[in-house]
Amino acid sequence: MVSDAETIAKGEWYPPHSSGSVPARLLSRGGRLLAVTEEDVALSDSAAGELSFTPRVGSIPRRAVFADGSVFESSENDAIDAFLRGGGRSGWVHRLEEFHPRIFVFAIAVVLLAVGIYRYALPALVEVAVFVTPPVVSEAMSYSALNTLDSTALSASQLDEARQAEIAARFRQVAANAEGGAGRYVLNFRDGGVIGPNAFALPDGNIVITDQLVELAGGDDEMITGVLAHEVGHVEYKHSLRQLYRAAGVAGLVMLIAGDVGSGVEDILTQGGGLLALSYSRSAEAEADRRSVELMRKAGMDTVAIARFFDVMETKLGDHSRTSMLSTHPGSPERKQAILEYDRILRQD
Amino acid sequence: MDNRVSAGSAANAFERARFTGTASEYFGIWIVNVLLTIVTLGIYSAWAKVRRNRYFYGNTVLLGRAFEYHATGKQIFIGRLIVFAFVIVANILAAIHPLFSLVTTVLVLVALPWLIVRGLRFNARVTSYRNVRFDFTGTAGGAFVCVMLGSLVAFLSLGLLAPLASRWLNRYIFNNLRYGNRPFDTDPKVGALYRALLIPALMVVLGLVILAGLVAIAVVGMQANDPGAFEHDAAMLMIVSGMYLVVFGLIIVYGLAGLIYRAAVHNIVWSSTRIDGQHLLRSDLSRARYAWIAISNVVVTMLTLGLMRPWAAVRLARYVAEHTAVRIEGEIGEVFTQFQTTGAAIGAEYMSMEGIDFGF
């Protein structure tokens, strides 16, 4: 009575939750699927709809669970596929995965997609994220960053009131022409401590300058103003927010594509992500440098004053190691060159 | 009847596992995984993980039968979603105020033993061999002592107590592991583990001496040239490149020593593990060969922009499988699954995101 049925595949049959397997065949008969021994003794019997085969992955064995919990396992993947195809069910993912010329098309598609996402989708996403970020986020970030710095590296400025007022007055002159006007930017004086000579901008418009930088400038106040105009540029272009989103985006991209890249490679990719962020920070510096030239020009001050700052850093700061601005703002000679160039172009117009 | 796991004619012989997967077959699975993951903006990665694991488990063959991985894409996806949401919320809170990052860090540390147990149990329960599932019965307290305190002790002792930590960790994992209703047990000897540390420790000491020597030569050379040399850019460049040399040198020395130590511990632990108190496991990885495969895999993967990753993964899986063996003492008999649900994949996904992977 079993012999008139169609044999689907040969394999092993396991009782429910047990390792005691028996060599078996899977049969299809009248809309039901049966597992039978080699001697045609019935082991399990279920309606065809109740049985689902595990999807095909490479050539590993596949399993089908009967209604009673017993399992039929077989490596005869093609035979099972032929049967399933008759019923209109088949694994399209597996067919994509087969080693076929189109797999090379997939490989090229993956590379192109990865490059495309990095070049076009990531910058666009960063822009969107920057656009939708409410000002309260920048304010909260700036507030906590300044608090952290004040409680660790920075301390109160040693400069006297008159000197601070002098610098602040010049700063207001350049900031007046910046986006949002002078009111948007607040100049803070601090003793730099281990940070040394430095100036930095917080996303909400707070700008910090260290006593050490003022000291380094000697009496050259236009040079200090040039540096501060550069920091105003960072605020206008929302560089810190952009960099934050970019770093998050690159990390997400690595996770998205990598999936299974192996532990050693993952570490290297993370380091590589840091290098990419650094190259972005260089282009941000160049952008802020150009903004400094523009703002100084509008304020009627020496447009290339910031270039003198690079000269000072090269001659006086040669011995300061990684904490100086040398490491965060690399390539001073090139930047100086670019500033002079940009100034010349602006003059020609 | 060949329905029982038995030693058959070759009584008391170890039988090696095999890995039957091939690089070309896995390349197809891998590239489609990557492609669909990108196209679905990462959502498919959960299903990709299932296909990848099913391929590797299903091609690991012991005594003529393969393992099977049972987790579903949906389980992994939900686990990832919860972990991802937590990470995002934690990062937003940390950006608002630094104090929040302290709170979330403490929260994770408190929850970590529980996450470790859930992760180990999930991974065990989604693994089967001959229709019988594995299980893990460890407690959160055990995870706290053996995994967290153990790694802290190894770290604070600069690696000198690493063998003790390895012993705690592996005893915790294997003594709580079940194959159906049969328990595993292991008792790696401290002496053997310390002998495993010998070569890696020598490598670290020798590496540090060589690095220190290079730095000393550089400093002396610079001062002999010109006592005030630190003013010049060239000296600056030398200092910076010297720092990079030291940092990369340390990473390479520790990485290599770690690989050698890991292979040796793997051998010792597996070779002292028994199933059901009688069936023996054995592992005989060559430390040098294992380290060579791991390192050359990374190099080849990088040089081919990741396209040789499937080849590298298959190569390592094959090497480990072929150096793992089991000896069945008499008849193993019929093994039964104590059927239990797998629970959520949160613990397993949190750990795999943190790079902690307890595979079987």
Side-chain angles (χ1 to χ4, degrees):
Chain A
M1 68 177 193
V2 179
S3 50
D4 61 332
E6 178 202 353
T7 297
I8 298 166
K10 284 183 187 156
E12 296 274 333
W13 177 85
Y14 293 94
H17 314 310
S18 163
S19 71
S21 66
V22 183
R25 285 182 296 135
L26 186 69
L27 305 181
S28 163
R29 193 184 54 187
R32 297 187 75 78
L33 293 178
L34 284 81
V36 298
T37 64
E38 283 166 333
E39 295 82 29
D40 279 350
V41 178
L43 296 165
S44 275
D45 178 353
S46 284
E50 285 175 354
L51 239 68
S52 67
F53 291 83
T54 51
R56 183 168 179 178
V57 176
S59 46
I60 68 166
R62 291 155 81 182
R63 315 162 72 247
V65 185
F66 282 91
D68 62 0
S70 66
V71 171
F72 177 78
E73 187 181 276
S74 169
S75 298
E76 294 186 354
N77 282 302
D78 289 335
I80 294 171
D81 273 349
F83 165 73
L84 292 178
R85 227 166 261 146
R89 293 176 295 168
S90 150
W92 60 275
V93 177
H94 169 72
R95 267 179 287 133
L96 292 181
E97 289 168 351
E98 277 173 317
F99 204 81
H100 185 274
R102 73 171 161 250
I103 218 89
F104 295 104
V105 178
F106 291 164
I108 294 164
V110 163
V111 172
L112 290 180
L113 272 172
V115 172
I117 290 172
Y118 180 73
R119 286 281 298 278
Y120 304 106
L122 189 63
L125 275 175
V126 168
E127 290 312 311
V128 170
V130 167
F131 183 74
V132 300
T133 303
V136 62
V137 172
S138 321
E139 280 160 27
M141 272 166 52
S142 309
Y143 176 78
S144 74
L146 193 56
N147 267 347
T148 311
L149 279 167
D150 273 340
S151 59
T152 53
L154 302 176
S155 46
S157 172
Q158 308 288 317
L159 293 179
D160 58 59
E161 300 263 322
R163 185 81 180 104
Q164 288 193 10
E166 257 172 51
I167 295 168
R170 282 177 170 274
F171 171 70
R172 274 193 299 278
Q173 262 179 280
V174 283
N177 296 305
E179 190 188 288
R184 173 154 161 47
Y185 305 91
V186 180
L187 185 60
N188 303 275
F189 293 90
R190 293 285 191 280
D191 185 318
V194 290
I195 292 178
N198 212 333
F200 53 86
L202 297 166
D204 66 344
N206 268 293
I207 290 170
V208 177
I209 181 168
T210 67
D211 296 355
Q212 286 81 351
L213 192 136
V214 176
E215 194 186 313
L216 188 74
D220 192 345
D221 284 5
E222 290 218 329
M223 183 171 103
I224 297 174
T225 316
V227 172
L228 294 176
H230 166 100
E231 299 304 332
V232 168
H234 279 317
V235 177
E236 285 184 329
Y237 292 119
K238 299 186 175 173
H239 279 147
S240 42
L241 207 57
R242 280 211 167 78
Q243 189 150 11
L244 190 76
Y245 284 131
R246 219 183 142 74
V250 170
L253 188 64
V254 168
M255 273 165 69
L256 180 68
I257 299 177
D260 170 40
V261 289
S263 53
V265 180
E266 213 167 294
D267 293 340
I268 293 169
L269 280 178
T270 317
Q271 302 298 321
L275 282 178
L276 286 176
L278 203 68
S279 79
Y280 172 73
S281 88
R282 283 200 194 115
S283 78
E285 291 308 325
E287 210 169 31
D289 284 348
R290 287 198 293 275
R291 190 62 185 146
S292 168
V293 174
E294 289 167 10
L295 286 174
M296 293 294 276
R297 190 182 156 90
K298 282 184 188 158
M301 290 191 234
D302 181 5
T303 49
V304 294
I306 191 173
R308 288 207 296 280
F309 178 68
F310 296 126
D311 288 332
V312 174
M313 287 215 304
E314 273 179 71
T315 52
K316 290 196 185 172
L317 279 185
D319 62 341
H320 273 256
S321 56
R322 307 166 71 86
T323 47
S324 79
M325 290 185 80
L326 269 178
S327 53
T328 46
H329 296 200
S332 307
E334 291 86 353
R335 284 177 66 186
K336 202 172 75 188
Q337 202 62 43
I339 287 162
L340 297 177
E341 189 99 331
Y342 186 65
D343 182 54
R344 220 187 52 224
I345 294 168
L346 284 185
R347 274 173 205 282
Q348 280 169 355
D349 293 340
Chain B
M1 258 173 106
D2 70 339
N3 65 335
R4 299 269 161 88
V5 183
S6 77
S9 53
N12 290 337
F14 275 95
E15 184 160 339
R16 285 178 186 273
R18 284 183 300 128
F19 186 77
T20 55
T22 61
S24 60
E25 197 175 53
Y26 180 51
F27 183 84
I29 293 165
W30 177 82
I31 198 83
V32 171
N33 275 349
V34 174
L35 190 65
L36 291 180
T37 299
I38 293 177
V39 169
T40 60
L41 302 175
I43 293 167
Y44 186 77
S45 69
W47 285 264
K49 179 179 179 175
V50 169
R51 291 189 77 79
R52 178 174 79 237
N53 278 344
R54 285 195 61 210
Y55 187 77
F56 279 93
Y57 283 50
N59 278 305
T60 304
V61 178
L62 190 62
L63 302 168
R65 305 295 165 85
F67 288 79
E68 171 80 275
Y69 182 74
H70 296 268
T72 62
K74 198 175 150 194
Q75 277 176 309
I76 308 265
F77 180 66
I78 292 171
R80 280 191 182 172
L81 219 55
I82 292 170
V83 173
F84 196 62
F86 176 78
V87 169
I88 286 182
V89 169
N91 274 318
I92 289 174
L93 287 176
I96 290 172
H97 200 281
L99 202 65
F100 280 120
S101 66
L102 195 74
V103 174
T104 48
T105 309
V106 169
L107 213 67
V108 167
L109 275 178
V110 170
L112 200 55
W114 180 82
L115 287 170
I116 291 170
V117 172
R118 287 306 201 80
L120 284 166
R121 204 171 69 191
F122 181 83
N123 285 339
R125 286 185 180 175
V126 296
T127 305
S128 79
Y129 174 70
R130 285 181 172 261
N131 194 34
V132 170
R133 304 269 186 133
F134 288 80
D135 195 7
F136 182 79
T137 58
T139 60
F144 177 74
V145 174
C146 300
V147 184
M148 293 174 69
L149 284 189
S151 42
L152 189 70
V153 163
F155 177 74
L156 289 181
S157 64
L158 300 173
L160 284 177
L161 295 178
L164 284 179
S166 303
R167 183 165 184 270
W168 295 345
L169 174 68
N170 286 294
R171 279 174 54 90
Y172 174 70
I173 292 176
F174 281 95
N175 290 345
N176 287 305
L177 191 62
R178 302 273 180 280
Y179 171 61
N181 50 6
R182 311 296 165 94
F184 281 67
D185 68 272
T186 191
D187 191 18
K189 295 284 174 280
V190 178
L193 290 169
Y194 264 97
R195 278 195 294 283
L197 189 64
L198 204 63
I199 293 176
L202 280 176
M203 284 171 62
V204 168
V205 170
L206 205 68
L208 290 183
V209 167
I210 292 173
L211 279 177
L214 284 176
V215 170
I217 290 169
V219 169
V220 169
M222 225 148 42
Q223 280 177 342
N225 261 342
D226 173 7
F230 285 88
E231 293 295 325
H232 301 305
D233 280 355
M236 183 71 201
L237 192 72
M238 268 190 89
I239 292 171
V240 172
S241 50
M243 275 175 169
Y244 276 105
L245 179 80
V246 170
V247 170
F248 280 110
L250 282 179
I251 291 173
I252 289 170
V253 166
Y254 273 103
L256 198 59
L259 277 176
I260 303 251
Y261 178 67
R262 203 194 308 164
V265 168
H266 186 272
N267 282 344
I268 293 165
V269 170
W270 281 66
S271 298
S272 68
T273 299
R274 292 180 305 177
I275 306 168
D276 209 11
Q278 49 186 338
H279 315 294
L280 301 179
L281 292 181
R282 182 185 277 177
S283 166
D284 57 358
L285 300 171
S286 147
R287 285 174 290 187
R289 180 105 188 109
Y290 179 81
W292 160 248
I293 289 175
I295 292 165
S296 57
N297 272 357
V298 169
V299 172
V300 168
T301 304
M302 295 305 293
L303 288 182
T304 57
L305 299 174
L307 290 176
M308 284 290 268
R309 170 64 196 161
W311 171 83
V314 166
R315 181 177 174 227
L316 188 65
R318 175 169 298 142
Y319 185 73
V320 173
E322 283 171 0
H323 288 83
T324 303
V326 62
R327 189 178 80 185
I328 299 301
E329 208 51 64
E331 271 210 341
I332 208 164
E334 205 169 315
V335 184
F336 294 97
T337 289
Q338 271 123 336
F339 195 75
Q340 275 152 323
T341 54
T342 52
I346 303 166
E349 286 310 304
Y350 179 78
M351 291 207 305
S352 69
M353 258 192 197
E354 294 295 305
I356 311 162
D357 211 1
F358 296 105
F360 289 101

